[in-house]
Amino acid sequence: MSNKTLEDLVQKLKDAQNVSVLTGAGVSAESGIKTFRDPDGLWAKFNPQELASIDGFMSNPELVWEWYMNRVDIVNNSTPNDGHFALSKLQSIIKDFSIITQNVDGLHQKAGSVDVIELHGSIVKNKCFDCGKKYDGDIDTSEKKIPRCKSCNGLIRPDVVWFGEMLPANAIRKAQQEAEKSDVFFSIGTSAEVFPAADLPHIAKQNGAFLVEINPNNTVLSKFADLKVADTSANALPTIVEELKKVI
Ligand code: BV8
Ligand code: ZN
């Protein structure tokens, strides 16, 4: 890890043509949505294989459905935090600014960000487990039991990417293209442990990007970062926006 400074970052952002951001659950932590791998995270209580996988759903669809509906409830009652709003502001200042997220909570969009690349789908969208028919919102989730598909009577499931499932081809392809051409690449609020999303910061760096990690903790990515900001996203991002506004 090098000893670059916030001033170096602001200068890079001032000159940058393309900036990309990869966000993870940590960006939503300050909106009250638990992360996955922090000690009090979502996985702490559950085994990921049990909940976010096809086998998990097939062996216990009610448990998985209930876990997701519980998360949908939390997401629907959550609001973006200062980190989300700062990213939306950066997107309006910097010419070509793409937000690539592993999150499924839609908070970037609620904060005004556009063209958000959702690598792992969206928890407020559903589809049929059997025929894949999309149900974006028009299903009754108030019932305890899992709704059934109107076309084939299959079980409805959240339209998210489970372990062992391919990411949406257009999303991962666009994300890789954005990473390749970025002058500055931010990895924010992610443990950088889930692939292929975790490849993106390396793709960016291999193509010459200035790599920034914003995370209060160290991760497997930290040693590759040109600048490591050991702070929360809701603190660090507004500061970066303020410093950038002073020089543009
Ligand atoms: C796939 C579903 C083809 C939605 C999730 C190599 C290549 C390809 C695949 C693999 C590979 N090696 C292994 C695999 C298999 C697997 C994988 O990566 N396993 C890992 C665990 C080793 N990948 C897959 O299965 C992917 N599918 O590639 O298909 C294939 C399949 C098999 C084998 C080969 C190829 C599918 C991956 C998607 C899985 N779906 N979620 C949902 O329910 O939400 S993953 C889940 O983890 C979430 O999507 C989450 O976003 C994601 C990553 O977690 P993070 O966002 O990083 O969250 P985490 O809690 O880990 O970290 C939070 C961080 O925030 C911490 O560092 C913390 O310090 C920090 N933080 C906390 N507070 C703050 C903060 N930071 C800033 N501010 C704060 N306030
Ligand atoms: Zn169906």
Side-chain angles (χ1 to χ4, degrees):
M1 187 160 54
S2 75
N3 56 356
K4 294 287 189 237
T5 64
L6 181 59
E7 287 70 33
D8 295 322
L9 169 60
V10 169
Q11 197 53 48
K12 288 278 180 189
L13 288 173
K14 178 171 170 285
D15 302 338
Q17 291 300 310
N18 297 294
V19 176
S20 294
V21 174
L22 171 68
T23 65
V27 164
S28 297
E30 286 154 294
S31 293
I33 299 179
K34 286 191 182 313
T35 65
F36 285 81
R37 292 168 187 83
D38 284 331
D40 67 341
L42 288 167
W43 301 132
K45 286 181 266 319
F46 297 104
N47 166 1
Q49 218 43 44
E50 197 177 333
L51 297 174
S53 69
I54 298 174
D55 296 345
F57 184 72
M58 286 177 79
S59 57
N60 196 335
E62 285 74 19
L63 173 71
V64 173
W65 180 256
E66 195 184 332
W67 182 61
Y68 274 96
M69 287 309 107
N70 174 270
R71 287 173 63 197
V72 167
D73 209 29
I74 293 165
V75 162
N76 286 338
N77 291 300
S78 301
T79 50
N81 60 59
D82 291 345
H84 292 107
F85 288 116
L87 286 172
S88 176
K89 183 76 190 138
L90 277 176
Q91 191 171 44
S92 67
I93 298 175
I94 294 171
K95 200 172 85 58
D96 182 347
F97 188 95
S98 54
I99 297 182
I100 305 158
T101 189
Q102 300 170 90
N103 299 339
V104 295
D105 55 33
L107 288 182
H108 286 301
Q109 294 90 327
K110 274 189 190 169
S113 293
V114 293
D115 303 328
V116 176
I117 301 172
E118 293 182 311
L119 294 178
H120 295 163
S122 164
I123 203 168
V124 294
K125 293 182 179 158
N126 296 287
K127 65 182 179 183
C128 173
F129 184 74
D130 291 340
C131 73
K133 177 178 166 52
K134 299 275 187 187
Y135 287 85
D136 289 356
D138 57 349
I139 50 163
D140 175 8
T141 57
S142 59
E143 306 251 316
K144 206 96 170 98
K145 63 184 181 19
I146 306 181
R148 292 251 172 200
C149 174
K150 294 186 185 80
S151 309
C152 74
N153 201 39
L155 290 174
I156 300 294
R157 56 161 284 185
D159 196 3
V160 298
V161 179
W162 280 336
F163 286 102
E165 289 189 315
M166 299 301 282
L167 276 60
N170 55 339
I172 188 65
R173 184 177 52 249
K174 180 100 173 78
Q176 286 160 344
Q177 288 165 351
E178 293 302 322
E180 276 164 14
K181 66 179 190 177
S182 52
D183 302 308
V184 179
F185 190 96
F186 288 88
S187 177
I188 310 175
T190 180
S191 58
E193 289 177 16
V194 173
F195 291 86
D199 284 326
L200 295 169
H202 298 288
I203 292 171
K205 189 148 173 84
Q206 282 149 22
N207 284 276
F210 182 90
L211 180 61
V212 187
E213 179 178 57
I214 301 177
N215 191 322
N217 301 314
N218 272 337
T219 70
V220 289
L221 186 69
S222 300
K223 60 179 181 292
F224 298 98
D226 294 298
L227 174 63
K228 162 80 184 176
V229 180
D231 198 351
T232 69
S233 44
N235 277 344
L237 286 165
T239 304
I240 292 167
V241 171
E242 286 322 304
E243 291 308 310
L244 179 59
K245 280 176 13 186
K246 288 177 191 166
V247 298
I248 55 173

mmCIF file of all heavy atoms in Angstrom, residues 128 131 149 152, ligand 2:
data_model
loop_
_atom_site.group_PDB
_atom_site.id
_atom_site.type_symbol
_atom_site.label_atom_id
_atom_site.label_comp_id
_atom_site.label_asym_id
_atom_site.label_seq_id
_atom_site.Cartn_x
_atom_site.Cartn_y
_atom_site.Cartn_z
ATOM 1 N N CYS A 128 -39.957 -16.061 -10.934
ATOM 2 C CA CYS A 128 -40.381 -17.446 -10.698
ATOM 3 C C CYS A 128 -39.159 -18.356 -10.674
ATOM 4 O O CYS A 128 -38.305 -18.295 -11.562
ATOM 5 C CB CYS A 128 -41.332 -17.901 -11.813
ATOM 6 S SG CYS A 128 -41.730 -19.663 -11.705
ATOM 7 N N CYS A 131 -39.862 -20.882 -13.979
ATOM 8 C CA CYS A 131 -39.850 -20.420 -15.396
ATOM 9 C C CYS A 131 -39.136 -19.088 -15.556
ATOM 10 O O CYS A 131 -38.958 -18.615 -16.674
ATOM 11 C CB CYS A 131 -41.287 -20.328 -15.916
ATOM 12 S SG CYS A 131 -42.217 -18.926 -15.250
ATOM 13 N N CYS A 149 -46.220 -18.640 -8.993
ATOM 14 C CA CYS A 149 -46.171 -18.016 -10.323
ATOM 15 C C CYS A 149 -47.533 -18.142 -11.015
ATOM 16 O O CYS A 149 -48.145 -19.221 -11.010
ATOM 17 C CB CYS A 149 -45.092 -18.719 -11.149
ATOM 18 S SG CYS A 149 -45.005 -18.194 -12.868
ATOM 19 N N CYS A 152 -46.884 -20.662 -14.205
ATOM 20 C CA CYS A 152 -46.588 -22.112 -14.114
ATOM 21 C C CYS A 152 -46.774 -22.645 -12.701
ATOM 22 O O CYS A 152 -46.425 -23.790 -12.417
ATOM 23 C CB CYS A 152 -45.138 -22.362 -14.574
ATOM 24 S SG CYS A 152 -43.917 -21.845 -13.359
HETATM 25 ZN ZN ZN B 2 -43.263 -19.662 -13.461
#
